[in-house]
Amino acid sequence: MAERTEISSLGEFGLIDHLTKNNEIKNASTIVSVGDDAAVLDHFGKQVVVTTDMLVEGIHFDLMYTPLKHLGYKSVIVNLSDVYAMNATPQQITMSIAFSNRFSVEALDEFYEGVYAACDRYNVDLIGGDTSSSQKGFIICVTAIGEVAPDKYVKRSTAKIGDLICVSGDLGAAFLGLTILEREKKVFLETKGVQPDLENQDYIIGRFLKPEARKDIIEFFAANKIIPTSMIDISDGLSSEILHICKQSKTGCVLYEEKIPVNDMARQFAYKLEIDPTACALSGGEDYELLFTIDQNDYNKIVSNDNISIVGHITEQEEGCLLVTKGGNTHKLTAQGWNAFK
Amino acid sequence: MAERTEISSLGEFGLIDHLTKNNEIKNASTIVSVGDDAAVLDHFGKQVVVTTDMLVEGIHFDLMYTPLKHLGYKSVIVNLSDVYAMNATPQQITMSIAFSNRFSVEALDEFYEGVYAACDRYNVDLIGGDTSSSQKGFIICVTAIGEVAPDKYVKRSTAKIGDLICVSGDLGAAFLGLTILEREKKVFLETKGVQPDLENQDYIIGRFLKPEARKDIIEFFAANKIIPTSMIDISDGLSSEILHICKQSKTGCVLYEEKIPVNDMARQFAYKLEIDPTACALSGGEDYELLFTIDQNDYNKIVSNDNISIVGHITEQEEGCLLVTKGGNTHKLTAQGWNAFK
């Protein structure tokens, strides 16, 4: 970027003013927004849903291939996804960031452009936050607040035996997007100046860099009077998430490999890299799709929606958590999701 | 500490289970707590107050002289203080932390001991959060949620001309506590093995390491049917905070140096260090007292409370923001509060 304004030239309060000067309130429930000790919300007659996520440079993202605008967008999305996973509608976020002095005001502007784009698209108000220095790296902490009609929230722990297991969208592409970006980073570092060869893999790269949250699925539930029996968002891979549902619901499950939705371009690219596309879907993570269970009686309501795949069903706990492969073999599901501490 | 359990031996979900296994719900408004995509709250008939703060190692705290238990306690308190500053009652917090691999499970236990101690004392539920690795240092991000009767919240922007300016407790001691800890750290680093000489300065060190939030003042307001005309918590020093109120309320102010409450031990220690105690109160920060304005008609209600000092009054904007010294001179107030970006 051509211009570079030092953050110290604005000071903390000047920076906050600068970053929030075009911040507009969209929701009637937002009474007091940015600029006081706290925000005030009025979710009259609704229950309030709260979730929070931290994103740390070098752990959750790499600024070598993550544009700041995409990062701002994604840091909002991953939190909204958690709100939708409760069958709730996000209304507000707080955004706290810590950054070292290598960041300029222009860089933060780019980041906030993504934050505001996500807020606009999902009709969410930015109501507060904190800005701080860091000794090293960029750290993001978002809290999202949503609302849900009383007792219409959906937990992880309430799946019942016989329920159908469903997922939205397709799985595994975000992991493949990350894989290609990591590969090209390595090539670039080894042979400086070589331009990355992204092989027109816009779909999988987009799935990683600029995920969306499944607002449409929650709206489909409301329009069709469906309340899932349990729900979770897929951030660590299908396998890890269904194991959460089964553990908390005290059930088992059967998933069918052939039913797991994988995008065609993702599948082709996985074969090219000699990775199993099913492994990407089970353990890849970062898809931000919804995994949910429904009563069998709701089958007819679901089947018309092309964005939803039925991938298995809930069984007794003693039967364990199983995957039936295309070849007809049965494997125990294990959580190989990304573990930040290993 | 004798024992050291590697965090990697628990994994992310094991660690969360470990840190929250004794977490008990205290408030009826907490419907779903830790363990799902999000928490669910029911603040039926109340308005919801939300605030968030980030604390970064090396910027906001120094683990050389900050015990982890105190840090856990303080990281909750600084957020509750913001909720009280809205005339609201905190009910829930989320706690997100990122830490490098030099931290053990025992170290995090110590930190959470302080977190839970603050939650117990202030009757607040820990309802969620995030745990993550960091490349360097310990990063804490807390969001606090409170409730307030509809339209009883108090903003910064609503002080009126003629209002009395009040502060709770005493000011400047936390800065002096920090000063002595920094001094002894320097001596220790220069002459390894020398034990710190804290000169029995328990009061000022305690004010820095283990601040409290002014729950009692909010309860006093409720019991005496007082609604301040404006309020803010004092985290950056009296000067910076009164300037926020005046700027947002479009007013001026006069503060009287002789009225600013400074603890006797703090005053003596300031003289010993040849620092002006008033400068500590104006610009020191980290006191977490409340600064508020009241209508003159509420004078009789306030005057009986020994924990509240009247330090000045609100004037027309054109008159500026002024300090009248003990010697009778008049100075313009300037914000010399701690600025993280300088």
Side-chain angles (χ1 to χ4, degrees):
Chain A
M1 213 167 284
E3 247 180 296
R4 180 180 167 91
T5 310
E6 295 301 329
I7 286 161
S8 58
S9 72
L10 295 180
E12 181 177 4
F13 304 121
L15 176 64
I16 294 168
D17 287 346
H18 174 82
L19 295 175
T20 58
K21 66 177 182 290
N22 296 318
N23 188 22
E24 278 173 23
I25 289 175
K26 303 171 198 79
N27 292 294
S29 61
T30 307
I31 313 279
V32 176
S33 182
V34 174
D36 219 301
D37 293 282
V40 181
L41 315 177
D42 191 340
H43 291 279
F44 181 72
K46 299 286 183 82
Q47 289 176 337
V48 175
V49 167
V50 180
T51 183
T52 193
D53 258 315
M54 217 168 191
L55 286 87
V56 180
E57 184 180 349
I59 309 288
H60 299 95
F61 59 89
D62 186 328
L63 289 177
M64 256 195 87
Y65 52 69
T66 309
L68 280 164
K69 186 177 168 181
H70 287 59
L71 181 62
Y73 194 89
K74 185 170 175 174
S75 64
V76 176
I77 293 301
V78 302
N79 280 278
L80 302 188
S81 182
D82 281 322
V83 174
Y84 290 123
M86 299 301 287
N87 199 33
T89 306
Q91 304 265 307
Q92 286 93 12
I93 59 161
T94 64
M95 168 65 67
S96 296
I97 53 173
F99 42 84
S100 64
N101 55 14
R102 79 186 150 100
F103 283 81
S104 65
V105 173
E106 287 76 18
L108 294 185
D109 281 344
E110 214 185 310
F111 176 80
Y112 269 84
E113 221 183 292
V115 170
Y116 285 120
C119 286
D120 282 345
R121 178 149 183 172
Y122 291 87
N123 206 46
V124 163
D125 293 323
L126 176 68
I127 57 161
D130 199 7
T131 54
S132 169
S133 302
S134 81
Q135 288 189 302
K136 189 182 176 192
F138 190 44
I139 301 126
I140 305 159
C141 188
V142 179
T143 297
I145 295 155
E147 62 179 38
V148 60
D151 306 323
K152 291 288 183 287
Y153 58 86
V154 175
K155 297 170 67 175
R156 299 174 175 178
S157 57
T158 39
K160 304 183 320 296
I161 292 158
D163 285 350
L164 302 174
I165 300 169
C166 308
V167 296
S168 64
D170 61 78
L171 302 178
F175 173 76
L176 289 160
L178 171 62
T179 305
I180 193 170
L181 290 167
E182 283 285 343
R183 186 191 71 181
E184 292 308 309
K185 175 187 168 182
K186 199 157 165 267
V187 170
F188 178 82
L189 290 176
E190 282 166 4
T191 330
K192 287 275 182 194
V194 167
Q195 283 304 303
D197 175 15
L198 302 177
E199 301 183 46
N200 295 317
Q201 294 294 347
D202 292 353
Y203 182 74
I204 63 171
I205 292 167
R207 287 286 284 171
F208 176 75
L209 287 183
K210 192 171 173 291
E212 298 291 349
R214 294 313 300 246
K215 183 176 194 262
D216 61 316
I217 300 291
I218 301 307
E219 289 169 348
F220 172 78
F221 291 156
N224 291 277
K225 299 191 169 43
I226 300 162
I227 298 183
T229 53
S230 70
M231 186 150 54
I232 190 169
D233 80 321
I234 303 181
S235 52
D236 289 340
L238 176 59
S239 189
S240 171
E241 311 302 355
I242 191 68
L243 289 172
H244 278 303
I245 284 185
C246 289
K247 184 183 171 195
Q248 293 195 29
S249 299
K250 301 186 172 60
T251 66
C253 69
V254 179
L255 298 184
Y256 297 92
E257 184 184 12
E258 63 180 349
K259 305 285 190 186
I260 296 172
V262 178
N263 170 275
D264 274 340
M265 284 176 287
R267 189 185 303 276
Q268 294 311 320
F269 190 70
Y271 287 143
K272 197 169 160 187
L273 296 183
E274 298 181 358
I275 310 176
D276 176 11
T278 303
C280 298
L282 287 172
S283 306
E286 300 244 35
D287 291 312
Y288 301 106
E289 296 293 343
L290 292 172
L291 169 66
F292 55 95
T293 55
I294 58 162
D295 192 281
Q296 289 191 19
N297 292 325
D298 285 334
Y299 173 79
N300 286 326
K301 293 180 181 174
I302 290 287
V303 78
S304 65
N305 189 326
D306 290 342
N307 289 309
I308 296 174
S309 305
I310 299 170
V311 297
H313 59 271
I314 296 292
T315 60
E316 305 245 14
Q317 190 167 23
E318 298 73 49
E319 297 181 39
C321 296
L322 306 173
L323 175 76
V324 178
T325 65
K326 287 174 185 169
N329 294 318
T330 299
H331 294 289
K332 271 188 91 163
L333 282 171
T334 50
Q336 299 178 328
W338 173 83
N339 186 331
F341 303 108
K342 277 182 184 161
Chain B
M1 211 167 286
E3 247 179 298
R4 180 182 167 91
T5 309
E6 294 301 328
I7 286 161
S8 58
S9 72
L10 295 180
E12 180 176 4
F13 303 122
L15 176 65
I16 294 168
D17 287 346
H18 174 83
L19 295 174
T20 59
K21 65 177 183 289
N22 297 317
N23 188 22
E24 278 172 25
I25 290 174
K26 303 170 198 78
N27 292 294
S29 61
T30 306
I31 313 280
V32 175
S33 181
V34 174
D36 219 301
D37 293 282
V40 181
L41 315 177
D42 192 342
H43 291 279
F44 181 72
K46 299 286 183 83
Q47 289 176 336
V48 175
V49 167
V50 180
T51 182
T52 193
D53 259 315
M54 217 168 190
L55 286 86
V56 180
E57 184 179 349
I59 309 290
H60 299 95
F61 58 88
D62 186 329
L63 289 176
M64 256 195 86
Y65 51 70
T66 310
L68 280 164
K69 187 176 168 182
H70 286 59
L71 180 63
Y73 194 88
K74 185 169 175 175
S75 64
V76 177
I77 294 301
V78 301
N79 280 279
L80 302 188
S81 181
D82 280 322
V83 174
Y84 290 123
M86 299 301 288
N87 199 33
T89 306
Q91 304 265 306
Q92 286 94 12
I93 58 161
T94 64
M95 168 64 68
S96 297
I97 53 173
F99 42 84
S100 65
N101 55 14
R102 80 186 150 99
F103 283 81
S104 65
V105 173
E106 287 76 17
L108 294 186
D109 281 345
E110 214 186 311
F111 176 81
Y112 269 83
E113 220 182 294
V115 170
Y116 284 119
C119 286
D120 283 345
R121 177 148 182 172
Y122 291 87
N123 204 46
V124 163
D125 294 322
L126 175 69
I127 57 161
D130 198 8
T131 54
S132 168
S133 302
S134 81
Q135 289 189 301
K136 190 181 175 193
F138 190 44
I139 300 128
I140 305 159
C141 188
V142 179
T143 298
I145 295 155
E147 61 180 38
V148 59
D151 306 322
K152 292 287 182 287
Y153 57 86
V154 175
K155 297 170 67 175
R156 299 173 175 179
S157 57
T158 39
K160 305 183 318 298
I161 292 157
D163 286 350
L164 302 174
I165 300 171
C166 308
V167 297
S168 64
D170 61 77
L171 302 179
F175 173 77
L176 289 160
L178 171 62
T179 304
I180 193 169
L181 290 166
E182 283 285 343
R183 185 191 71 182
E184 291 308 308
K185 176 187 168 182
K186 200 158 165 267
V187 170
F188 178 82
L189 290 176
E190 283 167 3
T191 330
K192 287 276 184 195
V194 167
Q195 284 304 303
D197 175 15
L198 301 178
E199 301 183 46
N200 295 317
Q201 295 293 348
D202 292 354
Y203 182 73
I204 63 172
I205 292 167
R207 288 286 284 170
F208 176 74
L209 287 182
K210 192 170 173 291
E212 299 290 348
R214 294 313 300 247
K215 183 175 194 264
D216 61 316
I217 300 291
I218 302 307
E219 289 168 349
F220 172 79
F221 291 156
N224 291 278
K225 300 193 169 42
I226 301 162
I227 297 183
T229 54
S230 70
M231 186 152 53
I232 190 169
D233 80 321
I234 303 180
S235 52
D236 290 339
L238 175 60
S239 189
S240 172
E241 311 303 354
I242 191 67
L243 289 172
H244 279 302
I245 284 185
C246 289
K247 184 183 172 196
Q248 293 196 28
S249 299
K250 301 187 173 59
T251 66
C253 69
V254 179
L255 298 184
Y256 296 92
E257 184 184 12
E258 62 180 348
K259 305 285 190 186
I260 296 173
V262 178
N263 170 276
D264 273 342
M265 283 176 288
R267 189 185 303 275
Q268 294 311 320
F269 190 71
Y271 287 142
K272 196 169 162 188
L273 295 184
E274 298 181 356
I275 310 176
D276 176 11
T278 303
C280 297
L282 288 172
S283 306
E286 301 244 34
D287 291 312
Y288 301 106
E289 297 294 343
L290 292 173
L291 169 66
F292 56 95
T293 55
I294 57 162
D295 191 281
Q296 288 190 20
N297 293 325
D298 285 334
Y299 172 79
N300 287 326
K301 293 180 180 173
I302 289 287
V303 78
S304 64
N305 190 327
D306 288 342
N307 289 309
I308 296 175
S309 306
I310 299 171
V311 297
H313 60 270
I314 297 291
T315 60
E316 304 245 14
Q317 190 166 24
E318 298 72 50
E319 298 181 39
C321 296
L322 306 174
L323 175 76
V324 177
T325 65
K326 287 174 185 169
N329 294 318
T330 298
H331 294 290
K332 271 188 92 163
L333 282 170
T334 51
Q336 297 177 329
W338 174 82
N339 185 331
F341 304 108
K342 276 182 185 163

